Amino acid sequence: MTTPPPVPSPGDPPPGGVAFAQAAPDEIVAYGHHVLAVEPTGAEPVPPEGRHGKPLQLLWTWTSPNMEFATVFIGVLAVGIFGLGFWPATLAIVIGTVIGSVAHGFLGLVGPRFGVPQMVAGRAGFGFYGNALPSGLNALTAGIGWFAVNSVSASYALNSLAHIPLLLCLFIVVVVQIAIAYLGHNFVQTAEKYTFPVLTVIFLVTSVVILTKAHPAAANGAHALPGAFLLTVGAAFGYAAGWNPYGADYTRYLPKATARWKVALWPGVGVLVSCVLLEIVGAASATLVAPAHASPTDAFIHPLPTVLAKLTLLAIVIGGIAANALNIYSGTLSFVAMGLRLPAAFRRAAASLVFGVVGTVLAWTGLTDSGERYENFLLVITYWIGPWLAVTFLDRWLNRSRPDEVTARILEDTSHRVWAGPVAMAVGTALGIVLFSNQTDFQGLVAKHVPGIGDIAFAAGFAIAAIVYVALLRVPGMGPARRTAKA
């Protein structure tokens, strides 16, 4: 077991101080249940008096954002691009999604315990400044990458539905989702609550129609296992695990006494059921003949009756906005968690505007070739999330007996160092890519000679990071330590 770093006595401030401007505790408490108020909280802990909500709300928080076309397209990739048969694709989708969903439920448990976002909780295993590596990557992935992907799919759906210029559709979509993220936690969860029944009903009806019209036997698998199968597992895992770095962002306002099994259950169920359902429907839709040169969304709604097709397009628009509200919100929280010394005016809310603008520009440039790089994007996400999960899980396991009050002090201590964490993550990510990545533009050394293994960089990176992390904890200067404050 690792030795916890020395911590200040209770009542003393952390020796390094706080690196980012924080809201006063009374501001957070005053925020309470207000939905239309701008959330003042950033990376700082939510005090006990400011806690509210029930774990059931996590069900719609993690179901609504998956009721969108980006989820459907995982199944389309499996059958239409990877050439996998429908039933093997279904199995691969379930395996990849189960892994990502279980991890997601587990990660959110730190929210009620410490009242901090997911990436702030990572400071225990990565150190205060070493944590900038996963936090920065997630800020880019969530606030810009996923923002662009979902904005494009929602814009195409709105364009097909309303027949207005595509750029105007993009503008409408981004304004709405940035506004939701700007207001913050309470408004985000309220928006997910009210979109939940609408999206669920529409997509359930759509799913029934497509599944009854599909021809599973037509997708007999042009490519042999295991390559296409492992690619699909990786893509499905990448989609579900893409939410993992957000886990505690939506549980940190829950009271600490909230039942742990409920905190883990509802997010896991929300991600699992929504992703598996729509990805299987996407695989089924790929067995149907679509019009030539149709956009991905038009191809998906082609077999639907006119009214249902229009409702499905509307649901794709709403689902994309629901997903991006979380992406912008959590992306900015990750940015704040990096510990940069920024002015007080540049808190989470202001950062969401900046991320929204950058993501919009990226989405604009991707309107002409949407879908072509989605597979690569999903796999790239797994390259760093796999090693990050290895360090995160091991840190929790090795320090499972550490008192919560000690961990809470560590998360606020700017002098806390654990270089084993970021180094292990970097090594696992780098070696996973160099050896096992299987992208269109780059093949790893092993994947190049054995292409049939698909892309297992995320699994290899997880294993490599775990081994390196445990080994480095035994190296002087790499394990947990706190610098002595100078007099």
Side-chain angles (χ1 to χ4, degrees):
M1 181 181 295
T2 59
T3 302
V7 293
S9 300
D12 293 338
V18 177
F20 192 87
Q22 295 189 349
D26 57 343
E27 287 184 85
I28 303 174
V29 174
Y31 175 59
H33 292 271
H34 295 292
V35 174
L36 295 178
V38 176
E39 180 191 5
T41 323
E44 63 271 35
V46 178
E49 316 86 71
R51 305 292 188 88
H52 61 272
K54 297 184 181 298
L56 181 60
Q57 69 194 32
L58 299 171
L59 175 62
W60 46 74
T61 297
W62 291 112
T63 300
S64 297
N66 295 310
M67 293 291 186
E68 51 141 354
F69 190 71
T71 316
V72 171
F73 204 65
I74 303 296
V76 176
L77 282 173
V79 174
I81 306 299
F82 300 160
L84 197 61
F86 175 79
W87 294 113
T90 297
L91 178 60
I93 285 168
V94 171
I95 292 173
T97 306
V98 165
I99 298 172
S101 300
V102 170
H104 190 64
F106 175 80
L107 289 165
L109 291 174
V110 298
R113 287 179 67 188
F114 306 112
V116 297
Q118 190 68 58
M119 283 298 161
V120 172
R123 292 173 180 169
F126 287 86
F128 191 91
Y129 290 109
N131 190 55
L133 175 61
S135 296
L137 285 171
N138 193 53
L140 291 173
T141 301
I144 297 177
W146 272 118
F147 177 93
V149 169
N150 292 319
S151 294
V152 169
S153 62
S155 298
Y156 269 113
L158 184 58
N159 172 256
S160 298
L161 177 65
H163 303 292
I164 56 180
L166 190 56
L167 288 181
L168 177 57
C169 294
L170 176 63
F171 176 77
I172 294 171
V173 166
V174 299
V175 167
V176 174
Q177 56 201 20
I178 291 173
I180 296 173
Y182 178 83
L183 287 171
H185 178 273
N186 291 352
F187 194 83
V188 169
Q189 290 209 325
T190 301
E192 305 297 345
K193 176 181 179 179
Y194 287 104
T195 58
F196 172 69
V198 176
L199 295 175
T200 301
V201 170
I202 294 175
F203 273 115
L204 279 177
V205 176
T206 298
S207 299
V208 170
V209 173
I210 291 179
L211 288 172
T212 54
K213 291 187 176 183
H215 306 289
N220 55 10
H223 296 290
L225 299 175
F229 185 84
L230 292 176
L231 279 173
T232 302
V233 170
F237 169 75
Y239 189 89
W243 298 120
N244 287 179
Y246 308 10
D249 298 356
Y250 305 93
T251 62
R252 63 197 175 117
Y253 276 90
L254 293 175
K256 188 172 183 178
T258 304
R260 289 168 58 85
W261 70 268
K262 294 181 181 179
V263 176
L265 174 67
W266 294 122
V269 169
V271 172
L272 177 65
V273 175
S274 57
C275 288
V276 166
L277 171 64
L278 289 194
E279 288 169 20
I280 290 175
V281 171
S285 71
T287 68
L288 301 172
V289 178
H293 309 297
S295 69
T297 50
D298 286 341
F300 178 66
I301 66 168
H302 174 67
L304 303 176
T306 303
V307 174
L308 182 58
K310 291 184 179 297
L311 287 174
T312 302
L313 286 173
L314 177 62
I316 291 173
V317 175
I318 296 173
I321 292 172
N324 269 350
L326 269 64
N327 288 324
I328 305 171
Y329 178 76
S330 287
T332 53
L333 281 180
S334 295
F335 179 71
V336 171
M338 292 175 67
L340 301 175
R341 296 185 182 277
L342 298 170
F346 200 76
R347 287 181 178 173
R348 179 211 57 80
S352 67
L353 298 178
V354 176
F355 272 69
V357 171
V358 176
T360 301
V361 172
L362 183 59
W364 190 339
T365 62
L367 284 175
T368 57
D369 61 351
S370 61
E372 292 185 7
R373 298 296 178 185
Y374 186 40
E375 169 199 344
N376 290 350
F377 176 66
L378 286 167
L379 293 174
V380 166
I381 292 173
T382 70
Y383 294 164
W384 72 264
I385 287 184
W388 170 75
L389 286 173
V391 174
T392 300
F393 288 162
L394 278 172
D395 171 69
R396 292 201 196 175
W397 173 255
L398 294 173
N399 295 289
R400 60 192 181 279
S401 61
R402 185 168 59 196
D404 282 0
E405 58 269 21
V406 173
T407 300
R409 302 293 295 173
I410 288 172
L411 299 182
E412 294 187 82
D413 188 353
T414 61
S415 67
H416 175 56
R417 303 287 185 269
V418 194
W419 293 116
V423 171
M425 177 180 167
V427 172
T429 302
L431 289 182
I433 294 172
V434 171
L435 295 176
F436 297 100
S437 65
N438 201 348
Q439 299 267 0
T440 304
D441 300 324
F442 178 80
Q443 281 188 305
L445 298 177
V446 176
K448 184 179 295 185
H449 292 90
V450 192
I453 65 171
D455 192 316
I456 59 170
F458 75 93
F462 181 97
I464 293 169
I467 294 170
V468 172
Y469 181 64
V470 172
L472 288 180
L473 286 175
R474 302 176 179 276
V475 177
M478 298 299 289
R482 177 173 64 82
R483 294 186 306 176
T484 303
K486 295 181 179 180

